[in-house]
Amino acid sequence: MKNLRKNQWLMLLVTMFCYLFFYTGRHNFGWAAKDMAAELNISFAAIGWISFSMLMGYAIGQLVNGNLADHFGARKMVPLGALLSIMANIGISYATNFYVVLVLWTLNGYFQSMAWAPGGKLIANWWSGKERGKAFGFYTMAAGSSSAITYLLSIILLQQELSWRYLFRLPILLLLFAAIVFFFVARDKPSDKGFENFVESGEEEPSGWKERYSKVLSNKTFLVASLAIGFQNMARYGLIFWVPVHFLGQNWKAAPQNLWVTFLMPIGMAIGALTFGNLSDTLFKGDRPRSIATGMTISAFFALIIFFTNSHHLVLNALLMFGSGFFVYGVQANFWPMCPELLGKKYMGTGIGFMNMCAYLFAAMGEPFLGKIIDLTGNTSYVFLAIASISLLCAITISTTAKAYNKNRENAVLNLQGQTEQS
């Protein structure tokens, strides 16, 4: 048992380590957007559509790769996705026109989608239901930390006055190293290392990809939860993409310390993910809808403060950036455990893939919408008013699933207890 526990943590940590660097090939775009637009003579509207195309590629990829994860596993899919993403990023760094960037960034979205659902499948295989909220809290923290690393490296490169092209060349090398480590260390399930696999209530192997999709699409509670994460991710990406634009537009070279304030937002995201992953298991007693609704309501409050104050005060901005990141992203750690809890672990990859597809489909639709708001108002602060409204939509939507979700969870516990008594 002790050796199993050691390997549980090893698999979680190596998956976290690999995903820690995945955003270096995705969240770098917002920092490159301003100089890219100037050098390639691309409008900001066109830049918004490039961002849209990547998110759409990611959304479609989630729908496909989540299902494939249930068949091929993470050890094959994650390193392959990393390698292809690295190639797409390097290709963009040599691009000279809009269409090359558009095509490569769209493909990059698909390649990036080959990691999250397979990684979640691996974690679900290694961690039992009673600790899965904690495990996914750590996993989601790695994603938030990946944003922080990308922000940090981007700010450093910009302050060295390097070309935007280096944002697509240098940080991505860390992903190459992490993917190599993952391939040699990770194993998809306990039996791959000689342990017994976790078997949960009613679990059996699905017959094929059609059954997996049918199971997911027939669960109404899961579909509503997928709608809710769509609003959550729209709010999240509204911050990730437009916060750099907001602060870069304030003559940042005259006051470079203001740029460093943005770094606290992904730091808040990382800490928030770990915090909410544990809170949903402890304070909220596994009631993940209530945990999500609470966090997104507070997220809306922070966004409203940013909009109404529009402050240039360094300390206040630092607190607001940290708080907004903490709540808007922290709750995402509570969505992923809902997949095995509503669908069963055997449909984990397909469920995560579908849910993440919804998340990025909404994020993609949000980018042109938020860009249009800036065009109409001439003020990036109005983005935060929209994000507050979107956050409240998430809180309201997920709250409607609470009764059905908790009933499903209680039935699963009773079934498991019945199986234990019979054995």
Side-chain angles (χ1 to χ4, degrees):
M1 179 61 72
K2 183 177 180 181
N3 203 22
L4 172 62
R5 191 63 171 174
K6 178 181 177 181
N7 277 274
Q8 280 182 302
W9 279 105
L10 178 62
M11 294 304 117
L12 175 59
L13 291 173
V14 76
T15 307
M16 290 172 59
F17 176 72
C18 187
Y19 210 81
L20 186 63
F21 301 104
F22 250 85
Y23 287 177
T24 59
R26 185 156 100 237
H27 289 178
N28 49 348
F29 188 80
W31 292 102
K34 185 178 179 181
D35 289 343
M36 178 191 289
E39 183 176 328
L40 302 184
N41 194 27
I42 300 174
S43 68
F44 275 106
I47 289 289
W49 284 110
I50 293 172
S51 178
F52 169 88
S53 71
M54 187 279 289
L55 293 169
M56 284 300 296
Y58 192 94
I60 294 170
Q62 284 298 320
L63 186 63
V64 175
N65 292 317
N67 195 296
L68 292 178
D70 285 327
H71 181 73
F72 292 107
R75 187 166 179 259
K76 294 177 180 178
M77 293 187 67
V78 173
L80 178 60
L83 180 61
L84 293 172
S85 178
I86 290 165
M87 293 170 64
N89 270 265
I90 293 175
I92 287 174
S93 76
Y94 290 98
T96 57
N97 66 75
F98 165 79
Y99 295 103
V100 173
V101 176
L102 180 68
V103 171
L104 288 175
W105 204 236
T106 303
L107 290 173
N108 183 56
Y110 182 88
F111 300 149
Q112 284 268 319
S113 74
M114 296 173 70
W116 182 256
K121 175 73 173 181
L122 185 150
I123 291 170
N125 285 340
W126 279 93
W127 290 80
S128 65
K130 64 182 180 181
E131 293 187 296
R132 204 168 281 145
K134 175 178 68 177
F136 273 92
F138 276 104
Y139 187 35
T140 312
M141 180 192 70
S145 300
S146 189
S147 292
I149 288 173
T150 306
Y151 267 52
L152 174 64
L153 295 174
S154 298
I155 292 170
I156 291 173
L157 291 174
L158 284 173
Q159 292 195 330
Q160 297 300 315
E161 299 190 357
L162 293 176
S163 167
W164 61 269
R165 298 179 184 275
Y166 285 94
L167 295 173
F168 296 96
R169 295 174 186 170
L170 298 182
I172 201 76
L173 296 178
L174 294 170
L175 176 57
L176 177 61
F177 173 72
I180 293 171
V181 172
F182 180 86
F183 179 77
F184 285 106
V185 176
R187 295 296 183 270
D188 287 307
K189 53 187 182 296
S191 60
D192 292 341
K193 296 203 72 174
F195 303 105
E196 289 188 11
N197 293 328
F198 290 105
V199 178
E200 298 179 8
S201 175
E203 188 171 344
E204 59 184 39
E205 286 300 317
S207 59
W209 67 271
K210 288 184 180 179
E211 182 184 339
R212 292 195 289 268
Y213 280 126
S214 177
K215 177 71 174 181
V216 168
L217 294 174
S218 63
N219 191 306
K220 293 181 180 179
T221 305
F222 179 78
L223 293 179
V224 176
S226 297
L227 176 63
I229 200 175
F231 290 124
Q232 180 272 331
N233 212 41
M234 185 185 289
R236 172 200 172 201
Y237 261 86
L239 291 174
I240 287 172
F241 188 82
W242 294 108
V243 159
V245 174
H246 178 71
F247 281 89
L248 285 171
Q250 298 181 2
N251 190 22
W252 69 271
K253 290 184 179 180
Q257 66 273 17
N258 288 330
L259 209 59
W260 282 102
V261 165
T262 65
F263 178 60
L264 291 172
M265 183 183 69
I267 291 293
M269 289 181 175
I271 297 174
L274 180 61
T275 302
F276 272 90
N278 282 284
L279 284 178
S280 69
D281 285 342
T282 55
L283 179 64
F284 293 98
K285 308 298 183 184
D287 189 345
R288 314 212 194 272
R290 187 159 63 94
S291 177
I292 294 167
T294 300
M296 291 307 292
T297 301
I298 299 173
S299 172
F301 178 71
F302 269 89
L304 285 174
I305 294 177
I306 296 172
F307 170 71
F308 283 114
T309 60
N310 194 20
S311 173
H312 296 282
H313 191 276
L314 189 64
V315 175
L316 178 59
N317 278 338
L319 292 173
L320 292 175
M321 284 292 102
F322 180 87
S324 62
F326 182 94
F327 289 103
V328 81
Y329 184 62
V331 299
Q332 196 171 107
N334 297 164
F335 278 102
W336 310 119
M338 294 179 73
C339 295
E341 289 160 356
L342 289 172
L343 302 171
K345 195 175 67 178
K346 59 185 175 179
Y347 302 103
M348 179 73 178
T350 305
I352 287 182
F354 181 85
M355 183 176 275
N356 216 14
M357 181 272 292
C358 293
Y360 278 86
L361 181 63
F362 273 64
M365 292 188 297
E367 292 301 285
F369 168 69
L370 294 174
K372 188 65 174 179
I373 289 176
I374 296 174
D375 287 338
L376 292 174
T377 63
N379 187 344
T380 54
S381 296
Y382 278 88
V383 165
F384 299 103
L385 180 60
I387 289 172
S389 301
I390 296 166
S391 297
L392 287 175
L393 282 174
C394 174
I396 293 169
T397 303
I398 196 64
S399 294
T400 64
T401 71
K403 184 177 180 179
Y405 169 79
N406 287 310
K407 182 178 180 181
N408 183 87
R409 189 163 55 90
E410 289 170 4
N411 289 338
V413 171
L414 290 174
N415 288 336
L416 186 60
Q417 289 174 347
Q419 289 181 354
T420 302
E421 290 174 358
Q422 290 177 5
S423 62

